[in-house]
Amino acid sequence: MDHDGTKGRTVSAAELFDGLGIEYEHAFVRLPAQRAAVEWLTARLGPGARVLDVGSGTGRPVADLLVRAGCEVTGIDVSREMVELASAQVPGARFEECDVRAFEAPAGGFDAVCAFFPLMMMSRAEAAATLRRMAGWLAPGGFLVTATVPADVEDVEIVWMERAVRVSSFSVEEYLRLQREECGLDVLHHALSVFAPDDDRAAPEEHLFTYARRPALTEGVASAD
């Protein structure tokens, strides 16, 4: 992400991804750490597992890989263009135009939630609240697999893919603390990597991928939900 000292009109997440469309897939579809995360997840899910893909984009590669593994996939994205692309490209999944902050799901309604980079165009408070909500959507023993660009920033204007946007994020330590202490998850794995998108308009980015699990219920102990 490139910081920009100028103050101009910034675009919303919906405007950003409506404008990018299939270009986003072309730039980021070959992200190795993302594919590895989905493969790790599907190796632990049984046929028919209910998976929510938050910020599902064009449906590729995440929803497509999940469907191919036999999962029952729901994708949500704030961008209408992305939802239309995903519905056409991955007909085996169900996609909905929805901001994750407004999405309603039953407690324990999903066996896994994937959230690859959907939190950055929110305030830190909104992102933390969304992490807690996603954790609550997991069935006991369910998995939350996420990715973000770690940085200790709040409401910073940057230029990304030639668009001015405002972003917030967390340091690695704070992002892990949120999942462990505020979401009540066991973080099983986290790793930093650098990825260079297949688009000259996007600079190399540092990515943090995390694999976390909601503790399974102990026999005789009621759920805290």
Side-chain angles (χ1 to χ4, degrees):
M1 295 187 299
D2 297 323
H3 290 266
D4 180 20
T6 64
K7 290 291 182 181
R9 180 185 179 276
T10 57
V11 297
S12 68
E15 291 171 323
L16 173 66
F17 290 102
D18 280 346
L20 286 173
I22 199 67
E23 296 174 37
Y24 179 75
E25 178 181 314
H26 294 162
F28 286 89
V29 71
R30 67 170 189 84
L31 179 49
Q34 185 177 54
R35 185 173 293 268
V38 177
E39 290 175 350
W40 179 92
L41 178 63
T42 55
R44 287 157 178 78
L45 297 175
R50 302 156 300 169
V51 184
L52 176 66
D53 184 11
V54 177
S56 46
T58 68
R60 294 177 179 167
V62 178
D64 186 46
L65 291 171
L66 291 168
V67 167
R68 291 176 188 273
C71 299
E72 180 183 310
V73 181
T74 300
I76 61 172
D77 201 288
V78 73
S79 164
R80 178 172 299 180
E81 176 69 15
M82 290 296 186
V83 169
E84 291 176 355
L85 283 168
S87 298
Q89 295 194 134
V90 191
R94 183 180 70 84
F95 297 95
E96 177 181 344
E97 181 186 347
C98 183
D99 189 313
V100 64
R101 291 167 288 189
F103 185 67
E104 296 293 337
F110 291 97
D111 300 300
V113 175
C114 294
F116 297 120
F117 309 104
L119 306 179
M120 299 191 65
M121 293 181 69
M122 304 179 186
S123 69
R124 282 178 167 179
E126 289 171 325
T130 299
L131 278 172
R132 292 191 295 270
R133 294 184 74 223
M134 292 191 296
W137 297 335
L138 295 173
F143 297 97
L144 176 64
V145 181
T146 78
T148 190
V149 177
D152 186 10
V153 296
E154 173 83 35
D155 193 33
V156 171
E157 184 176 325
I158 66 167
V159 173
W160 185 77
M161 299 284 283
E162 298 183 338
R163 277 84 167 173
V165 297
R166 303 197 71 85
V167 299
S168 301
S169 191
F170 302 100
S171 67
V172 173
E173 295 75 18
E174 178 63 8
Y175 192 68
L176 296 176
R177 187 198 69 79
L178 286 168
Q179 293 193 44
R180 289 170 174 146
E181 297 182 15
E182 297 196 19
C183 299
L185 302 176
D186 296 325
V187 179
L188 308 176
H189 169 82
H190 72 276
L192 288 166
S193 57
V194 176
F195 175 69
D198 288 332
D199 193 310
D200 292 340
R201 296 171 298 171
E205 299 177 345
E206 184 176 47
H207 292 164
L208 171 64
F209 279 80
T210 67
Y211 309 168
R213 185 172 184 261
R214 179 178 175 180
L217 293 178
T218 303
E219 186 176 351
V221 177
S223 169
D225 288 341

